[in-house]
Amino acid sequence: MELATKFHSSSFSIFSAPIYKGKTVAASPSSSSSSSSLQLSKQWLGAGLSSRTATAAKATPSLRFLSRQQRKSIISPVKCSVSQTTPAETSAEKKSQLMRRSDIRNIAIVAHVDHGKTTLVDSMLKQAKVFRDNQIMQERIMDSNDLERERGITILSKNTSITYKDTKINIIDTPGHSDFGGEVERILNMVEGVLLVVDSVEGPMPQTRFVLKKALEFGHAVVVVVNKIDRPSARPEFVINSTFELFIELNASDEQCDFQSIYASGIQGKAGLSPDDLAEDLGPLFESVIRCIPGPRIEKDGALQMLATNIEYDEHKGRIAIGRVHAGSLRRGMDVRVCTSEDTCRFARISELFVYEKFFRVPVESVEAGDICAVCGIDDIQIGETIADKAAGKPLPSIKVEEPTVKMAFSINTSPFVGREGKYVTSRNLRDRLFRELERNLAMKVEEGESSDTFIVSGRGTLHITILIENMRREGYEFMVGPPKVINKRVDEKLFEPFEIATVEVPEEHMGAVVELLGKRRGQMFDMQGVGSEGTTFLKYKIPTRGLLGVRNAILTASRGTAVLNTIFDGYGPWAGDISTRDQGSLVAFEEGTSTSYAMASSQDRGQLFIGPGVDVYKGQIVGIHQRSGDLSLNVCKKKAATNVRSNKEQTVVLDTPLDYSLDDCIEYIQEDELVEVTPASIRMCKNPKFTKKGSR
């Protein structure tokens, strides 16, 4: 198996061989250092390493330059250095009376989007006998939200647990999309280790870097799972080496760099220590979790401390706080103190207590330190607050997440069709719903707008806010949203804007069009590489967040739907200059009524339409895309004049299929003087009446 090799002596460390299902696996061989190995190490690790790591690397030849036979002989050690207790750690634990629980493991599964986290969790649950043999379960069990199933992504983190060899493993499935990074950041407070899932072809991607950076900052143990090893163009050697280089770039410690690697196929439910020798189940993965991820460090006899890391809501039980008990024990009916800081505390009582067993919440009488539980009875509990002992409890450090980068304006619906389809239409309804979202969404901010019926919502990205909009319209809300804008900063009177790292996977024949498109949006390419036999190319760009607004559809059009775009926030940089995000204007209806085939036949010559015949429209509604720059007002409700002059033959009207724009597409399309009208039944675009008509004809 492939492994980031241990750097603690002038030769490979010799470990006893692991045994799995009666098979003894070859241990790492002994090897002496030489001048050639030093040169190989320098080539492998690159020139940008810290002196500490570069010095340690002198004794170790790179795995990348070994022969295939030599690679097979190098197997991961039985002992993972991150889980071992050093003498310094032992003395520190004695001093603070801390101890580790050996019967529990708390892990989070983190990865880039579409690298197979949720599918892997499915297989882990099935093999741990969470369900009956005859029980029919749908795919992606953990994605229980309707939006998650429709979009095929994980939006909210979720808890479950399995039992393996008398050890309880609490598993938290986290989102992979960068816009939901706030979920990942706070979940890492509850665990001691992570399973870093990496695709066997793509390797580390932007979100892989983000989640790994956060895990290393917490000091967590990391087990790398090379997933989808059954793909035809899998390249596990490259993936392991790239992952190790990523550890080095993120200044991981020597112990963290000595990570355990597992090769798996989540959909087949198989894993192994070598890509060529997978077991029939996920046994090697479970063994690695038990061995390499330490149990929770607790203060068993100390005063109660539990940090509320997540919030759920139940119609019967009210607000449910989820978190890990750090010290002491929690009992049902117990009087506790709820603290935000030392000075702001209030008292409450625990009405019900649950732990996660298999796929369900199970009521219990008490929970010992180290376990993850759900607490009912505190109606005003907030994320980041500490449930502490009533007499001697002290608050834990609150949760901090990174600042939002994109903002959008929410306002009440002012169109002529207001109130037709929505249940909640007033500014008070809108205000209450937005501020209620802040209780569970730490990465989002809501501020008062210019008027009493306008609110500015800030989030991690456009998708982060779009998910909120979609949830609100399904709950019966009716409102309008403006175009997304980036949140700039001023430092020493200089304007700075957010930049992102964009990774595009595109077939070679469409690469030119994509490069030209991103170049127009101030993107700077810093890496390009081909991938295997699939004929695709990876392009990496540093690009202003402004340049990414509306770029997803443009890239799909330029590549005929074959390109895959992934982005992640990188940091703030100097203002990049003006960016033109749309060259075409809009077709705007100037009369209220119902669209007709007669009017559509002449209107479609002006551009592409969003609507068909028989659709109610109002004055100012955007009904299509103009084929030229600037807006064009037209009448899509015009009816054919009824005269008594008979023609020999009625003219046959052939209409083009209208464009079907989703909520995400509409938000990407609109510009400064346009709005999206969101109702439970419809999504329309219109001109903002507050702006003068610019460039209209």
Side-chain angles (χ1 to χ4, degrees):
M1 92 137 251
E2 316 233 344
L3 173 70
T5 323
K6 208 165 181 175
F7 298 128
H8 296 305
S9 67
S10 61
S11 62
F12 283 126
S13 301
I14 300 180
F15 301 92
S16 58
I19 298 176
Y20 174 67
K21 288 194 173 182
K23 294 182 180 180
T24 303
V25 188
S28 302
S30 174
S31 173
S32 61
S33 61
S34 65
S35 59
S36 61
S37 68
L38 173 58
Q39 291 179 350
L40 293 175
S41 297
K42 287 183 177 178
Q43 292 180 40
W44 178 34
L45 297 172
L49 296 183
S50 64
S51 59
R52 168 185 59 78
T53 312
T55 303
K58 290 180 181 179
T60 310
S62 161
L63 295 180
R64 180 179 295 182
F65 298 99
L66 296 179
S67 67
R68 188 173 185 82
Q69 192 63 33
Q70 287 174 311
R71 284 174 177 276
K72 285 186 177 181
S73 67
I74 298 180
I75 302 298
S76 61
V78 173
K79 298 180 180 179
C80 299
S81 56
V82 286
S83 65
Q84 302 306 300
T85 304
T86 62
E89 182 182 90
T90 305
S91 62
E93 288 191 358
K94 286 181 179 177
K95 188 177 294 185
S96 58
Q97 296 181 339
L98 294 179
M99 59 174 289
R100 287 198 182 274
R101 287 189 65 172
S102 59
D103 60 334
I104 287 183
R105 298 292 186 273
N106 298 320
I107 63 170
I109 299 188
V110 298
H112 187 79
V113 64
D114 284 339
H115 279 200
K117 297 181 305 302
T118 306
T119 305
L120 184 63
V121 174
D122 284 0
S123 296
M124 293 174 75
L125 291 172
K126 290 172 183 174
Q127 293 190 19
K129 301 297 182 184
V130 170
F131 311 108
R132 300 188 311 272
D133 292 336
N134 63 345
Q135 188 172 355
I136 300 174
M137 295 304 299
Q138 55 194 354
E139 292 183 357
R140 302 201 326 273
I141 305 163
M142 299 294 286
D143 286 347
S144 53
N145 187 300
D146 289 340
L147 269 181
E148 292 177 322
R149 294 202 158 276
E150 291 172 17
R151 293 172 179 255
I153 60 174
T154 302
I155 298 172
L156 302 172
S157 57
K158 300 171 194 67
N159 296 61
T160 185
S161 78
I162 60 176
T163 301
Y164 181 79
K165 292 186 177 179
D166 299 326
T167 300
K168 180 181 180 182
I169 304 176
N170 287 310
I171 302 173
I172 307 176
D173 185 23
T174 63
H177 201 285
S178 58
D179 283 19
F180 309 111
E183 289 276 322
V184 180
E185 286 180 75
R186 70 166 189 258
I187 288 308
L188 291 176
N189 281 280
M190 283 199 287
V191 300
E192 284 76 39
V194 298
L195 293 185
L196 180 69
V197 182
V198 186
D199 189 281
S200 63
V201 176
E202 296 179 354
M205 296 290 282
Q207 182 69 2
T208 311
R209 183 187 187 92
F210 173 79
V211 295
L212 179 58
K213 179 182 177 183
K214 294 299 177 185
L216 294 177
E217 287 175 358
F218 277 92
H220 290 334
V222 181
V223 174
V224 177
V225 181
V226 182
N227 196 26
K228 304 184 182 180
I229 199 67
D230 52 336
R231 288 183 65 174
S233 54
R235 44 180 188 165
E237 299 174 0
F238 167 82
V239 171
I240 287 294
N241 288 329
S242 300
T243 306
F244 178 65
E245 290 170 0
L246 182 58
F247 272 75
I248 298 296
E249 287 178 28
L250 297 176
N251 295 321
S253 66
D254 289 344
E255 289 77 15
Q256 289 171 324
C257 287
D258 190 11
F259 57 80
Q260 172 78 53
S261 298
I262 296 293
Y263 302 88
S265 171
I267 197 165
Q268 294 181 0
K270 296 181 178 181
L273 299 176
S274 166
D276 303 322
D277 184 21
L278 299 185
E280 291 302 314
D281 56 20
L282 294 174
L285 177 60
F286 291 132
E287 292 284 352
S288 298
V289 169
I290 302 292
R291 189 177 70 245
C292 297
I293 294 179
R297 183 181 292 167
I298 62 170
E299 192 175 347
K300 187 175 182 180
D301 300 324
L304 170 66
Q305 282 184 314
M306 171 187 158
L307 186 68
T309 312
N310 207 353
I311 296 289
E312 291 184 1
Y313 184 81
D314 186 274
E315 292 182 358
H316 305 290
K317 297 180 176 62
R319 292 172 70 82
I320 303 173
I322 301 171
R324 193 189 75 187
V325 181
H326 287 259
S329 60
L330 196 59
R331 299 185 304 278
R332 190 166 70 90
M334 183 179 184
D335 291 324
V336 295
R337 177 190 295 182
V338 182
C339 301
T340 306
S341 64
E342 290 279 2
D343 302 326
T344 55
C345 294
R346 59 192 185 278
F347 297 100
R349 172 171 289 185
I350 307 299
S351 62
E352 290 185 82
L353 199 57
F354 300 88
V355 295
Y356 289 90
E357 287 188 8
K358 299 182 178 179
F359 198 58
F360 308 99
R361 282 200 299 256
V362 179
V364 292
E365 289 297 319
S366 65
V367 177
E368 298 296 324
D371 206 352
I372 294 174
C373 65
V375 177
C376 302
I378 309 175
D379 295 333
D380 56 350
I381 186 77
Q382 302 287 340
I383 291 176
E385 292 186 326
T386 302
I387 300 174
D389 185 76
K390 185 177 180 181
K394 293 183 178 180
L396 291 163
S398 59
I399 300 171
K400 294 181 180 179
V401 295
E402 293 184 358
E403 294 292 315
T405 58
V406 175
K407 61 183 179 181
M408 293 174 66
F410 284 54
S411 61
I412 60 171
N413 191 0
T414 56
S415 79
F417 294 168
V418 60
R420 286 191 182 185
E421 301 166 350
K423 182 179 179 182
Y424 307 106
V425 296
T426 66
S427 60
R428 182 176 59 82
N429 296 142
L430 186 60
R431 169 196 289 272
D432 293 344
R433 177 62 180 84
L434 290 176
F435 280 97
R436 194 163 68 245
E437 182 69 18
L438 297 182
E439 297 176 2
R440 66 171 65 188
N441 204 331
L442 280 187
M444 190 169 281
K445 290 186 176 180
V446 178
E447 302 169 331
E448 301 284 349
E450 298 176 355
S451 59
S452 59
D453 55 7
T454 304
F455 306 92
I456 307 299
V457 179
S458 305
R460 281 289 185 84
T462 307
L463 181 62
H464 189 196
I465 305 177
T466 303
I467 293 296
L468 169 63
I469 296 171
E470 185 65 42
N471 281 326
M472 289 176 63
R473 71 182 287 250
R474 295 185 182 203
E475 294 168 12
Y477 287 85
E478 188 174 300
F479 53 98
M480 284 184 164
V481 295
K485 300 177 183 178
V486 299
I487 301 174
N488 300 319
K489 290 183 178 180
R490 282 201 174 271
V491 180
D492 297 331
E493 297 185 356
K494 291 183 179 180
L495 187 62
F496 286 76
E497 64 173 327
F499 279 75
E500 301 196 29
I501 300 296
T503 305
V504 187
E505 182 183 353
V506 60
E508 291 180 2
E509 60 266 26
H510 302 302
M511 188 174 69
V514 172
V515 169
E516 181 183 3
L517 177 65
L518 293 177
K520 288 181 179 178
R521 292 171 176 257
R522 306 281 182 175
Q524 296 180 348
M525 185 194 301
F526 64 88
D527 189 19
M528 178 176 67
Q529 53 182 311
V531 180
S533 59
E534 296 180 359
T536 58
T537 304
F538 273 108
L539 306 173
K540 288 188 178 181
Y541 279 84
K542 184 173 183 179
I543 185 171
T545 303
R546 285 182 302 133
L548 290 172
L549 299 178
V551 78
R552 205 170 295 271
N553 277 335
I555 283 184
L556 287 175
T557 302
S559 64
R560 300 192 177 183
T562 57
V564 178
L565 172 67
N566 292 294
T567 62
I568 190 162
F569 175 70
D570 181 56
Y572 277 81
W575 179 263
D578 294 332
I579 297 176
S580 175
T581 57
R582 200 178 85 192
D583 299 327
Q584 297 170 304
S586 299
L587 299 176
V588 185
F590 67 73
E591 184 177 289
E592 184 174 338
T594 303
S595 59
T596 63
S597 300
Y598 176 72
M600 312 274 337
S602 57
S603 298
Q604 68 184 11
D605 296 333
R606 306 289 187 178
Q608 296 175 290
L609 296 173
F610 294 137
I611 63 171
V615 177
D616 291 338
V617 298
Y618 55 82
K619 183 179 180 180
Q621 182 177 336
I622 297 173
V623 295
I625 303 174
H626 192 202
Q627 59 189 1
R628 298 177 183 173
S629 60
D631 298 336
L632 177 65
S633 298
L634 44 78
N635 186 0
V636 292
C637 304
K638 185 178 179 180
K639 298 179 180 179
K640 187 175 182 180
T643 65
N644 57 1
V645 178
R646 297 181 182 179
S647 59
N648 293 331
K649 184 179 179 182
E650 282 290 330
Q651 185 177 2
T652 303
V653 177
V654 179
L655 299 178
D656 296 334
T657 304
L659 295 174
D660 184 17
Y661 265 27
S662 65
L663 173 62
D664 301 72
D665 298 330
C666 291
I667 288 175
E668 281 194 359
Y669 175 80
I670 60 173
Q671 289 190 322
E672 183 70 22
D673 61 338
E674 297 167 345
L675 298 169
V676 177
E677 178 190 355
V678 180
T679 72
S682 308
I683 298 172
R684 309 181 187 93
M685 292 179 285
C686 64
K687 304 301 289 187
N688 191 339
K690 295 181 180 179
F691 285 77
T692 56
K693 296 181 180 180
K694 298 178 182 180
S696 58
R697 302 187 177 192

